[in-house]
Amino acid sequence: MATNKLLLTFAICRLIVTVGLTLRPTELLRLGLNGQLSLDPTDMETASLDFGMMSRAEPLAVFHPASAEDVVRLVDAAYASVNGFTVSAKGHGHSINGQAQTSHGVVIEMSGSVKKLAQLSPLVSMEQEVQEQRYVDVWGGELWIDVLRATLQYGLAPKSWTDYLYLSVGGTLSNAGISGQAFNHGPQISNVYELDVVTGKGELMTCSEEQNSELFHAVLGGLGQFGIITRARIPLEPAPQRVRWIRALYSNFTAFTKDQEFLISLHGHPNSQKFDYIEGFVIVDDGLINNWRSSFFSPRNPVKITSFNANGSVLYCLEVTKNYDESSANTIDQEIEALLEKLDFIPTSVFTTDLPYVDFLDRVHKNELKLRSKGLWDVPHPWLNLLVPKSRISDFDKGVFKGILGNNTSGPILIYPMNKDKWDHRSSVVTPDEQVFYLVAFLRSALDTVIGGDESQSLEYLTNQNRRILRFCDDAGIKLKQYLPHYTTQEEWMDHFGDKWAQFYQRKMEFDPRRILATGQRIFKPSF
Ligand code: FAD
């Protein structure tokens, strides 16, 4: 306890020296922070980096809160101080471009050990009787994998996911949170009942559709600009037991997108059979299909791309799943058969696997462990995520997949459509101006060393290629929006938000007038 106090005083002194805080250490100590303000080198290093490994900013201190009240006290101190300091919530640090970093203030580590989080809030509190009201209240720094494990104990699970579950609730809700369920349930930001948010003025506010709705919509997809999410109430559904997971190949892009669009259109027909998850990816070489997320294809039985695609051009893989329970196991084959019959993939190219629901949702983690064991996880990730309007997706295919990309992708390229009517236009997130738009995600890893004179996997090469892709779209008039956007000037941000900029700006002035929150997004400069 005494060490804790000493550390705290030291951290505060450092803040004072560096930013000239007008509060004296005794005053900050009197704030009664129960969490730990830390200058531990490991903490500082972790807070200085992120998954992208392309930007670095060391904070003045790292704070591990013990409760929402702790977050309130720290933000309130930052807001009230004459000279000011910034506060950045960090979830699991899986941003690409330093979005959760700050060099002018404190990083709040929202994710921590499960034990500590369990003390913060009881993970599951549900009203079981009425299906509509099944929900879970989670701490904003909770990881989705832990939310899943906890709710499964009650036979329940959230409805809308990300492909990877080691992301924090607050982090994905600050963006959108998308995966193959989004066509049907909408993104994760469309699946929230209520939030507790600490605004940039240090006020803890509960918000929902009905209560403080302006703040509620601002925070969802709000890139951390309006407040720190300390609690989210997530609706739940009965968790399926098993998943039938199917992949099928296409050599014709038009046939591929036509089928994807047909499948996502079935969400509008409540009584018709539909898949539960719809994604897809682009294949430009043999390595990708056999290595990426390779738990699907058996290593003993590698898939030979050339057997489907003699002329070596690009292939597209549709990926769908159907959830089921033991009780409906006898009809699942017919249901899937009936859906597949309507599609136009290469007939001999259907691959099927069957696994427990939790294993399907946690599938990317297996890949993470493999990459970690080869030292290929902690490398720079020049990712580019785009939302491309349906009307221009075939131009994108011609110009990018079959053009700029060549045959070297340095990582998976996802492509799947979503329905705009499942996105709430009142949230802060921006999407293309069409009912159907595609996520196209270039999930690249750069190599530090150039192998055999081949520079096509270097960070510089891949970053340049990302720029070429964006320039091509701009020149071709493809009105896309970046997902997990990264810009460095306010002009670019204004362009990104378009019609929504005025509202975004107004909300910022209302909820974080000193512009101290999430400065790593580089949208607003702090007012001190
Ligand atoms: P961080 O990187 O820690 O923070 C991101 C931003 O949110 C920062 O600005 C931060 O200040 C802010 N923030 C963090 N916590 C809070 C909070 N509690 N309140 C307010 N603001 C907060 N995204 C998808 O949609 N679908 C996917 O399938 C998907 N897969 C991914 C797979 C991998 C391997 C990786 C690395 C990323 C993936 N992402 C995906 C992107 C991911 O959703 C975002 O990068 C998200 O921000 C990561 O969450 P995090 O907890 O690591 O956030």
Side-chain angles (χ1 to χ4, degrees):
M1 194 60 173
T3 334
N4 221 352
K5 273 214 158 159
L6 253 178
L7 262 178
L8 181 64
T9 314
F10 181 52
I12 292 162
C13 287
R14 191 180 154 177
L15 274 174
I16 292 163
V17 170
T18 322
V19 294
L21 263 181
T22 51
L23 281 170
R24 284 195 300 269
T26 43
E27 286 177 278
L28 257 187
L29 280 172
R30 245 186 277 132
L31 290 175
L33 298 174
N34 292 317
Q36 194 201 357
L37 206 53
S38 162
L39 292 176
D40 177 275
T42 314
D43 278 348
M44 298 289 273
E45 180 66 8
T46 311
S48 305
L49 284 170
D50 60 20
F51 180 80
M53 284 186 72
M54 295 184 297
S55 60
R56 184 188 175 85
E58 184 170 299
L60 302 176
V62 174
F63 183 53
H64 301 274
S67 64
E69 285 67 35
D70 260 0
V71 178
V72 170
R73 287 176 197 124
L74 188 81
V75 177
D76 185 50
Y79 177 59
S81 77
V82 173
N83 293 326
F85 61 96
T86 55
V87 178
S88 280
K90 174 166 164 274
H92 211 217
H94 276 51
S95 289
I96 297 299
N97 297 290
Q99 283 91 336
Q101 297 168 6
T102 181
S103 51
H104 299 103
V106 180
V107 165
I108 304 188
E109 282 286 357
M110 294 297 289
S111 296
S113 74
V114 174
K115 195 165 155 262
K116 196 173 98 193
L117 294 174
Q119 287 162 1
L120 282 178
S121 72
L123 191 60
V124 181
S125 59
M126 282 173 268
E127 294 173 31
Q128 300 264 12
E129 309 80 46
V130 191
Q131 173 142 0
E132 291 309 306
Q133 289 182 339
R134 283 172 176 166
Y135 58 78
V136 59
D137 276 330
V138 297
W139 170 244
E142 203 77 70
L143 300 187
W144 284 101
I145 181 70
D146 295 321
V147 177
L148 175 64
R149 286 192 185 126
T151 55
L152 278 179
Q153 290 175 22
Y154 296 78
L156 299 168
K159 302 171 188 176
S160 183
W161 293 98
T162 46
D163 292 349
Y164 175 68
L165 305 185
Y166 290 73
L167 305 170
S168 79
V169 171
T172 70
L173 294 184
S174 296
N175 285 292
I178 50 177
S179 183
Q181 303 85 7
F183 80 97
N184 191 26
H185 292 295
Q188 290 181 322
I189 53 169
S190 297
N191 290 272
V192 182
Y193 284 157
E194 191 179 277
L195 298 171
D196 279 351
V197 173
V198 179
T199 69
K201 295 193 262 190
E203 297 162 329
L204 178 61
M205 292 171 77
T206 298
C207 57
S208 65
E209 291 265 356
E210 291 79 30
Q211 189 184 358
N212 297 315
S213 60
E214 188 68 20
L215 179 63
F216 183 67
H217 296 302
V219 166
L220 294 171
L223 305 174
Q225 296 305 302
F226 310 105
I228 297 176
I229 300 168
T230 53
R231 178 185 61 94
R233 179 165 288 182
I234 312 289
L236 301 172
E237 64 179 3
Q241 290 168 335
R242 295 197 68 82
V243 171
R244 189 66 59 83
W245 185 9
I246 300 144
R247 287 177 173 175
L249 298 174
Y250 293 72
S251 54
N252 182 318
F253 186 71
T254 309
F256 170 70
T257 50
K258 188 166 158 268
D259 282 357
Q260 279 194 324
E261 286 165 24
F262 162 69
L263 290 173
I264 71 156
S265 75
L266 295 176
H267 87 94
H269 306 268
N271 296 325
S272 71
Q273 279 293 339
K274 53 180 168 288
F275 287 115
D276 293 294
Y277 160 104
I278 298 164
E279 286 202 8
F281 53 95
V282 181
I283 303 162
V284 298
D285 59 28
D286 237 22
L288 190 63
I289 198 164
N290 287 317
N291 287 326
W292 177 59
R293 301 183 186 186
S294 53
S295 51
F296 190 92
F297 297 110
S298 156
R300 282 186 300 277
N301 181 23
V303 176
K304 278 265 157 268
I305 290 285
T306 41
S307 63
F308 298 105
N309 186 20
N311 63 12
S313 66
V314 180
L315 278 179
Y316 309 93
C317 184
L318 173 71
E319 180 175 68
V320 291
T321 70
K322 187 99 183 122
N323 302 335
Y324 69 101
D325 295 327
E326 307 292 346
S327 59
S328 56
N330 52 349
T331 55
I332 184 81
D333 288 336
Q334 290 122 284
E335 286 167 20
I336 289 173
E337 204 43 52
L339 281 163
L340 292 182
E341 256 171 27
K342 297 178 183 145
L343 308 181
D344 199 11
F345 46 80
I346 301 169
T348 52
S349 75
V350 182
F351 303 88
T352 303
T353 191
D354 196 286
L355 69 177
Y357 187 55
V358 60
D359 291 2
F360 171 72
L361 290 181
D362 198 24
R363 62 201 176 281
V364 177
H365 186 52
K366 282 206 182 100
N367 195 46
E368 173 187 351
L369 297 178
K370 275 187 209 151
L371 290 174
R372 275 190 189 283
S373 70
K374 293 180 193 161
L376 293 174
W377 185 255
D378 292 324
V379 297
H381 292 104
W383 284 13
L384 182 65
N385 285 272
L386 305 172
L387 301 175
V388 181
K390 168 186 146 170
S391 65
R392 302 302 303 275
I393 195 68
S394 92
D395 297 323
F396 191 93
D397 172 55
K398 284 187 208 109
V400 180
F401 301 147
K402 295 188 178 116
I404 294 172
L405 227 48
N407 65 353
N408 190 346
T409 61
S410 302
I413 306 170
L414 309 186
I415 172 168
Y416 58 88
M418 288 169 280
N419 296 302
K420 192 177 172 91
D421 58 7
K422 295 284 175 179
W423 295 60
D424 192 327
H425 67 91
R426 295 168 298 177
S427 77
S428 290
V429 76
V430 283
T431 59
D433 210 6
E434 286 185 19
Q435 162 54 17
V436 172
F437 55 85
Y438 281 79
L439 171 78
V440 181
F442 299 90
L443 308 181
R444 309 158 129 194
S445 302
L447 297 181
D448 291 339
T449 45
V450 174
I451 300 164
D454 175 13
E455 296 200 349
S456 63
Q457 296 213 42
S458 71
L459 180 57
E460 193 187 349
Y461 181 92
L462 294 171
T463 310
N464 279 335
Q465 199 173 60
N466 285 346
R467 280 196 210 108
R468 278 181 68 201
I469 292 171
L470 290 172
R471 204 175 321 120
F472 161 78
C473 292
D474 204 26
D475 292 347
I478 299 175
K479 295 203 182 319
L480 54 76
K481 292 289 176 194
Q482 281 191 34
Y483 177 57
L484 314 171
H486 168 57
Y487 297 107
T488 50
T489 66
Q490 200 171 71
E491 288 67 40
E492 289 171 316
W493 280 112
M494 288 167 78
D495 194 45
H496 170 77
F497 283 105
D499 292 351
K500 277 190 160 181
W501 171 253
Q503 182 193 47
F504 197 86
Y505 183 84
Q506 209 179 346
R507 285 170 166 177
K508 184 73 176 175
M509 293 309 116
E510 182 176 352
F511 299 117
D512 180 22
R514 292 199 73 187
R515 308 188 285 276
I516 55 177
L517 297 179
T519 45
Q521 297 278 3
R522 302 211 237 172
I523 307 174
F524 299 99
K525 289 205 171 77
S527 67
F528 51 85

